[in-house]
Structures are given as C-alpha cells and as structure tokens.
C-alpha cells in the first residue's frame, strides 16, 4: 500500500522543514549585508514572487500529479507529464541524483552541529578564546590537524555515525511514522530555540559600555540600512534570486516526492504558500536578527565586514562560539544555537534521502524498510569520500554539482515541462484541483513566461560566473586536481547507475503489463 | 539604524508576518471545520 501523510499540517511542516536549513540563519543575513542592506529586500521579494512561490506551486502540483500515477520521483512524474516521452524520464534522474549527492556531504556537516551542541554543554571549546584558537579547534575536530583539542578524526566520525543512523532510522519508519513525526517535533522546537536566542540578542543592547557604538541596534542598522546604489548591480539581483532559490529547497526534487503522497483532492496552493511563509519567517525575521547584529556588537564596525565575508562555516563554528563565550549563560545559548541548526539540518537531510528511497519502493516494488536499508548502505559508502577528503576539496565539489548545478538545471526543466509541455491550461486546472485559495490570474503569465526566463537567466549568468571556472578547476590547487577528478568520475558513475536503474525499472514495468489483446 | 533601515525592516517583517498569520489561520480554520463536520 502506498504511503501517505497523516495530516495536512504534517506535510506543511515536512516541506518547511526541508527548506529550513543553515542557509536561512547563516547565508541570508550575509547576502543581505553584502548586497545593499535593506535595499536587498526589493530584489529579494521580487524573486520570491516571480520565482520562489511559482516554483513551489509547480513542484507541489507536479508531485501530486505524479502520485496519481503511483510515482513519487521525477523520472515517473516527468514520463507521465510529457505523454510518455521516451527520453524525459532520464532528465528526471537529476531529481534523485541531486538530493543523493547533497545528502552524502550534508549529513557530515550536520553531524558537526550535533557535536558542537555537546561541546557547548560540556564546555569543550571554552578555552579557545581567539579566532585562531577556535579555527584550530574546528580543524582538529575535522581531522585536518593534530592539536591539543583533538588527535584524530575519531570524535567527528562518532558524531557522524550517530547522525547517519538517526537519518536512516527516520526514513526506515516512513513518511508518516518517521518524517512527519520528526518534523512536527523538530520544526516548532527549532523555531522556539531561535525566538529564545532572538530575545537574548535584543536584550544585549550594548555589551561593552566602553564602546557605545558596538551595539545590537547598530548591528541591525548594518543589516537593514538601505544602499540603493546596489540595486544597479546585476550581482545584487542574482544574489537575491539565488538566495530565494536555494533557501526554499526548490529544484532539488524533494518537494515533488513529498507532494506525491498527497491525494488528488488535497490542496496545494495554500499548503505551498504556508510552507513558503514559514521558511521566510525563519529566514528574514529570525535568521536576519541573530548572527549579524551579534557579530557587530561583539566585533565592531571594522571587523564585521571581514566576518560577513568569511563564509557560513566560519560564522557558525568560529564566530558564534566566540560570542557565546562572552555572554552570561553562554553555554546554554550556544547549545540552543547549535541544536536549532542541527534540527534544521536533520529535517532537511531526511527529505534529501526520501527521493532515492521512494524510487526503490515505487519502481522496484521494494518494501519501505528494505528500501531504507539499501539506501543506508549505499549512502554510508558514498559519505566516506566527503569525510576523509574534506581537506582536498571533495565537499566543495559535491556542493557544486549536487547543491548548485543540479538545482538550477532541474528547476528550469520543471518550469518548462509544467508550463509548456503539460500546457498552461492543464497546469492551471491541476494547480486548482482541491485548492482553497485561487491563484491570481497574473500567475498564469508569470509561470508561463517569467519564471522559466528568470531561471534561464540565472542558469546563464551562473554558468559564466561560477560554472565555467569551477568546471575548468580554476580555483583548485594542482595537488587536489586528481581528487576532484576522481569525485567527478564517482558522480558520473552514480548518475549512470541511476539512469540504468530507470531503464531497468521501465523494462520491468513493461514486462509486467498484460499483453494487448488484438480483436 | 536610519529611518530608511526601519522602513525596510518594518515593511519586510510586516509582509512576512502577515502572510504567515494569514496562511496558518486558513490552514488551522479548515482543520477545525473538518473536525466540526465530524
């Protein structure tokens, strides 16, 4: 029997949980601060309305459409959307490949958050009082160096095992008993943790009275004071579109799978919009109010620029622990911070695993538990290069293909397939089946023309700006090039293996169909 | 924070809070309606 969600709130929580991740709390404030402050919100909301919300509706609708044919993953959904076209199912492989690739490095990063939650409570990093010492602590933990804190990668591997087993266990218990139950607990919990930290941030005021200009209020000003000159730069618009795209988890294939467990008469318009609004609440209101104002108040107006440019990992694992060391009850707030990021991570990673598990269930008739076992074993082996090749650029390479390239490409394919192949009239009818809200008619035009063009523009700009230099390994040191090349071969083998599985599944399906009786 | 910063903060927060409250109100109201219908 096909799996199903237990409640409507459950599926909304699961989709919002999938979207909520490190990007909401770490990437958004940095992007906003670097691209015009308050003025960044103009391209941000334009992208939300023209790209994020339409794509969310497209994925929910395509997913529910595919579920009607007993398909929960993109190969089967695309196959039925394009009138049984022979080749389109192979484009759908991206919707299983992308999340699988993200899963194999994301789980490892997620395990660092679990580890740091424990370190916060136990005070393990509390001796590291400078940026250099905290970086050394992180490097030792990741096995990149031997130091007074860590002698090898053993601790990191232990936390990875716990995180990995937790993820596979959730998948093992299925959509209702595993994912829905987890998200109904984890999502409210992480939002409560974020609100507690937000209240603490606001109450900090001016932490050092000797430096009155180093204040939380000025930190908010650093993030929100508008610089309208940034709006004239294509970079700002691209950054806003990219933030919306990556933050909402569209273009991965996960929402397709989640929505496939809905019934034909279930609403997708309001549910999709509710998932978007939850993500935006966490990102703009909570995410925008924690890390940058805190860093400003503790490191000052000069250092904040360098901190903002230091990247998400540095902000999370170096800057934030240093700040928490300086405030009363810092261990508790540090625990809440890392625990909330861990909960955001785990609700995302289980969603990344589900397309591959659903593919095994639907196309090879495996029961859920067996599919979870097979996925667990394969993913465990595939995680190892990410763990042991961290210093050689393996995670960056996996993130490029799984977390960036596949997303934009898959999102573009979905938008074109939905509006142009399925056809806007049929698509509009599908969107409104069971809908509790009427989508404004202008979205018929937006979904057909603006969203695909927007995506093609992002794809083009991104290929020129980032894609080609990365493809040609311009930023990879000569020593790491063989490793990066090996990762690419591994990814090619995974993609080919999945494409071959699709071919086998379709052959099997054809063989199982009763022969046509000729009159 | 400058007045411009305040305007952008309040407009952004207002829009998102409004959207979130509206969506959850609609979702939870429907849930109650379904329960009342038995």
């Amino acid at each position: 029997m096909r799996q199903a969600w237990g409640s409507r709130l459950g599926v909304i929580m699961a989709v919002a949980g999938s979207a909520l991740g490190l990007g909401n709390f770490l990437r958004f404030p940095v992007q906003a601060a670097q691209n015009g402050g308050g003025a960044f919100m103009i391209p941000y909301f334009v992208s939300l309305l023209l790209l994020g919300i339409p794509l969310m509706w497209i994925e929910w609708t395509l997913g529910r459409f595919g579920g009607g044919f007993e398909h929960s993953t993109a190969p089967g959904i695309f196959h039925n959307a394009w009138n049984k076209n022979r080749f389109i199912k192979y484009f759908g492989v991206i919707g299983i490949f992308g999340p699988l690739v993200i899963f194999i490095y994301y789980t490892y990063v997620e395990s660092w958050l679990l580890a740091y939650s424990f370190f916060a409570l136990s005070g393990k990093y509390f001796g590291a009082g400078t940026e250099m010492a905290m970086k050394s602590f992180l490097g030792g933990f990741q096995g990149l160096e031997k130091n007074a804190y860590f002698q090898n990668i053993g601790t990191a591997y232990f936390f990875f095992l716990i995180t990995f087993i937790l993820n596979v266990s959730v998948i093992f218990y299925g959509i209702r008993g595993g994912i829905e139950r987890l998200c109904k607990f984890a999502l409210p919990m992480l939002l409560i943790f974020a609100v507690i930290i937000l209240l603490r941030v606001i109450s900090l005021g001016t932490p050092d009275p000797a430096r009155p200009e180093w204040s939380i209020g000025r930190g908010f000003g650093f993030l929100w004071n508008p610089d309208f000159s940034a709006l004239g730069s294509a970079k700002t618009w691209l950054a806003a579109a990219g933030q919306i795209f990556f933050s909402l988890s569209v273009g991965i294939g996960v929402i397709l799978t989640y929505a496939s467990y809905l019934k034909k008469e279930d609403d997708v318009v309001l549910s999709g919009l509710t998932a978007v609004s939850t993500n935006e609440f966490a990102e703009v209101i909570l995410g925008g109010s924690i890390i940058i104002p805190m860093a400003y108040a503790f490191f000052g107006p000069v250092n904040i620029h360098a901190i903002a440019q230091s990247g998400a990992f540095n902000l999370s694992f170096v800057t934030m622990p240093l700040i928490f060391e300086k405030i009363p009850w810092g261990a508790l707030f540090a625990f809440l911070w890392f625990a909330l990021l861990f909960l955001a991570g785990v609700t995302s990673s289980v969603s990344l695993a589900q397309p591959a598990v659903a593919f095994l269930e639907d196309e090879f008739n495996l029961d859920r538990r067996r599919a979870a076992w097979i996925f667990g074993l394969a993913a465990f082996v595939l995680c190892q290069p990410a763990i042991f090749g961290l210093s050689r650029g393996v995670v960056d390479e996996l993130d490029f293909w799984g977390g960036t390239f596949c997303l934009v490409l898959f999102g573009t394919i979905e938008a074109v397939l939905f509006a142009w192949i399925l056809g806007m009239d049929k698509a509009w009818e599908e969107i409104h089946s069971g809908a509790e809200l009427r989508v404004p008619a202008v979205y018929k035009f937006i979904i057909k023309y603006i969203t695909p063009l927007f995506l093609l523009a992002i794809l083009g700009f991104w290929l020129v700006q980032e894609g080609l230099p990365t493809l040609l390994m311009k930023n990879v040191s000569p020593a790491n090039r063989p490793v990066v090349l090996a990762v690419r071969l591994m990814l090619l083998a995974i993609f080919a293996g999945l494409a071959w599985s699709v071919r086998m599944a379709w052959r099997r399906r054809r063989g199982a169909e009763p022969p046509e009786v000729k009159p | 924070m400058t007045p411009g910063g305040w305007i952008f903060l309040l407009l952004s927060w207002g829009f998102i809070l409004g959207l979130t409250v509206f969506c959850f109100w609609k979702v939870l109201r429907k849930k109650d309606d379904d329960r009342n219908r038995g």
Side-chain angles (χ1 to χ4, degrees):
Chain A
M1 198 180 145
R2 213 174 143 67
Q3 295 197 67
W5 295 103
S7 69
R8 183 187 188 184
L9 208 55
V11 60
I12 292 171
M13 292 282 183
V15 173
S18 167
L20 265 170
L22 274 65
N24 298 78
F25 294 93
L26 302 171
R27 196 172 184 272
F28 166 76
V30 171
Q31 290 291 322
Q34 287 177 346
N35 292 288
F40 177 77
M41 297 315 287
I42 294 173
Y44 181 85
F45 281 121
V46 168
S47 303
L48 178 69
L49 294 172
L50 300 183
L51 184 72
I53 293 175
L55 261 177
M56 186 62 96
W57 281 332
I58 289 173
E59 290 208 4
W60 277 75
T61 310
L62 274 178
R64 187 187 56 180
F65 169 82
F69 297 94
E70 308 227 325
H71 287 291
S72 290
T73 46
I77 295 171
F78 286 8
H79 181 72
N80 283 290
W82 196 349
N83 207 17
K84 319 268 186 209
N85 178 292
R86 281 176 64 194
F87 300 106
I88 191 66
K89 59 182 177 284
Y90 295 109
F91 286 90
V93 170
I94 304 168
I96 306 169
F97 171 80
L100 176 64
V101 171
I102 302 173
F103 181 88
I104 60 185
Y105 68 86
Y106 197 88
T107 322
Y108 184 43
V109 175
E110 187 185 310
S111 72
W112 303 348
L113 297 162
L114 181 66
Y116 269 68
S117 308
F118 279 90
F119 297 159
L121 285 181
S122 64
K124 187 164 172 68
Y125 61 68
F126 270 42
T130 62
E131 191 182 344
M132 197 173 279
M134 199 58 85
K135 277 184 179 166
S136 175
F137 181 90
L138 179 63
F141 169 69
Q142 292 168 334
L144 304 180
E145 58 180 81
K146 280 185 186 177
N147 53 37
Y149 307 106
F150 299 97
Q151 287 299 301
N152 54 46
I153 201 173
T155 311
Y157 204 84
F158 170 73
F159 280 101
F160 161 72
L161 284 177
I162 296 176
T163 308
F164 189 85
I165 291 167
L166 174 70
N167 272 280
V168 177
S169 305
V170 172
I171 294 299
F172 187 81
Y173 285 103
I175 286 289
R176 192 172 178 171
I179 294 175
E180 186 172 342
R181 194 182 285 179
L182 168 83
C183 292
K184 274 180 154 176
F185 158 78
L187 202 73
M189 194 59 87
L190 80 88
L191 291 175
I192 290 169
F193 286 1
V195 169
I196 294 172
I197 296 174
L198 171 64
L199 293 175
R200 183 71 190 104
V201 170
I202 293 169
S203 70
L204 281 169
T206 307
D208 184 357
R211 289 166 166 155
E213 70 280 15
W214 291 25
S215 70
I216 293 293
R218 284 182 185 237
F220 271 96
F222 177 74
L223 185 65
W224 286 99
N225 289 343
D227 168 17
F228 291 105
S229 67
L231 295 179
S233 161
K235 183 180 148 271
T236 304
W237 289 81
L238 206 62
Q243 179 60 31
I244 284 292
F245 196 86
F246 297 118
S247 154
L248 287 175
S249 273
V250 285
I252 299 181
V254 161
I255 299 170
L256 281 183
T257 300
Y258 274 4
S260 75
Y261 299 109
L262 293 171
K263 297 185 196 81
K264 175 82 179 160
E265 64 275 14
D266 285 340
D267 159 272
V268 295
V269 178
L270 180 60
S271 301
L273 201 59
T274 310
V276 169
S277 71
T278 310
N279 182 70
E280 291 311 302
F281 174 78
E283 177 158 298
V284 177
I285 297 180
L286 301 175
S289 306
I290 297 176
I291 198 158
I292 291 288
M294 275 185 113
Y296 191 99
F298 283 92
F299 293 97
V302 177
N303 294 324
I304 187 73
H305 293 278
I307 289 170
Q309 283 174 346
S310 64
F313 285 167
N314 198 67
L315 273 167
S316 184
F317 295 104
V318 176
T319 309
M320 289 303 275
L322 282 173
I323 293 173
F324 286 122
E325 279 191 59
K326 295 177 181 172
I327 62 173
W329 295 85
L332 176 68
F333 286 105
F335 167 75
L336 293 178
W337 168 250
F338 286 114
L340 95 83
L341 291 180
F342 174 71
L343 291 173
V346 79
T347 52
S348 299
S349 57
V350 292
S351 76
L352 295 167
Q354 187 57 28
V357 175
F359 177 70
L360 292 172
E361 284 181 83
D362 291 346
E363 314 303 350
F364 290 96
N365 287 338
L366 294 181
D367 68 70
R368 189 186 72 228
R369 292 175 178 204
R370 204 154 163 217
W373 267 110
I374 293 172
F375 170 81
L377 287 173
F380 183 76
V381 174
L382 292 171
C383 282
Q384 305 310 310
I387 298 170
F388 294 102
L390 182 69
S391 62
R392 310 295 298 273
V394 173
V395 169
D396 291 338
E397 191 64 16
L398 293 172
D399 184 49
F400 170 77
W401 292 104
T404 314
F405 178 70
C406 284
L407 261 67
V408 188
L409 183 64
F410 191 70
T412 311
I413 294 170
E414 279 179 325
V416 171
L417 187 71
F418 187 74
W420 291 88
I421 307 295
L422 193 64
M424 213 45 233
D425 290 335
K426 175 123 200 295
W428 201 246
E429 198 183 302
E430 277 291 330
I431 287 180
H432 286 102
S433 166
E436 285 170 39
L437 278 183
R438 196 90 205 136
V439 177
V442 68
Y443 269 98
K444 218 170 176 176
F445 178 79
I446 292 172
I447 290 174
K448 186 161 185 179
Y449 297 103
I450 308 290
T451 308
L453 278 175
F454 208 150
L455 280 161
L456 284 170
I458 294 175
L459 194 62
F461 267 113
W462 174 82
L463 275 175
V464 173
Q465 277 189 346
E466 279 186 54
L468 283 177
T470 312
L471 199 64
L472 300 171
M473 295 197 252
K474 296 246 179 192
N475 302 321
V476 180
S477 69
N480 287 350
R481 284 186 185 170
V483 179
V484 168
L485 210 58
V487 172
R488 287 183 187 178
L489 287 173
M490 178 184 93
L491 293 177
L492 203 62
I494 296 173
F495 193 91
L498 285 170
W500 179 81
S501 306
V502 168
R503 190 180 158 82
M504 287 298 109
W506 257 254
R507 273 193 178 176
R508 209 173 141 267
R509 198 178 271 262
R510 255 205 317 269
E513 280 171 9
E516 262 180 55
V517 180
K518 287 183 183 166
Chain B
M1 191 149 66
T2 63
W6 275 111
I7 290 170
F8 274 99
L9 184 145
L10 292 175
L11 284 177
S12 302
W13 282 34
F15 173 71
I16 290 166
L17 275 175
L19 183 67
T20 310
V21 170
F22 168 76
C23 288
F24 274 98
W25 172 70
K26 291 278 280 180
V27 167
L28 296 173
R29 194 189 62 166
K30 178 79 182 2
K31 201 176 157 192
D32 288 342
D33 288 350
D34 291 347
R35 201 178 292 148
N36 292 338
R37 261 185 240 127

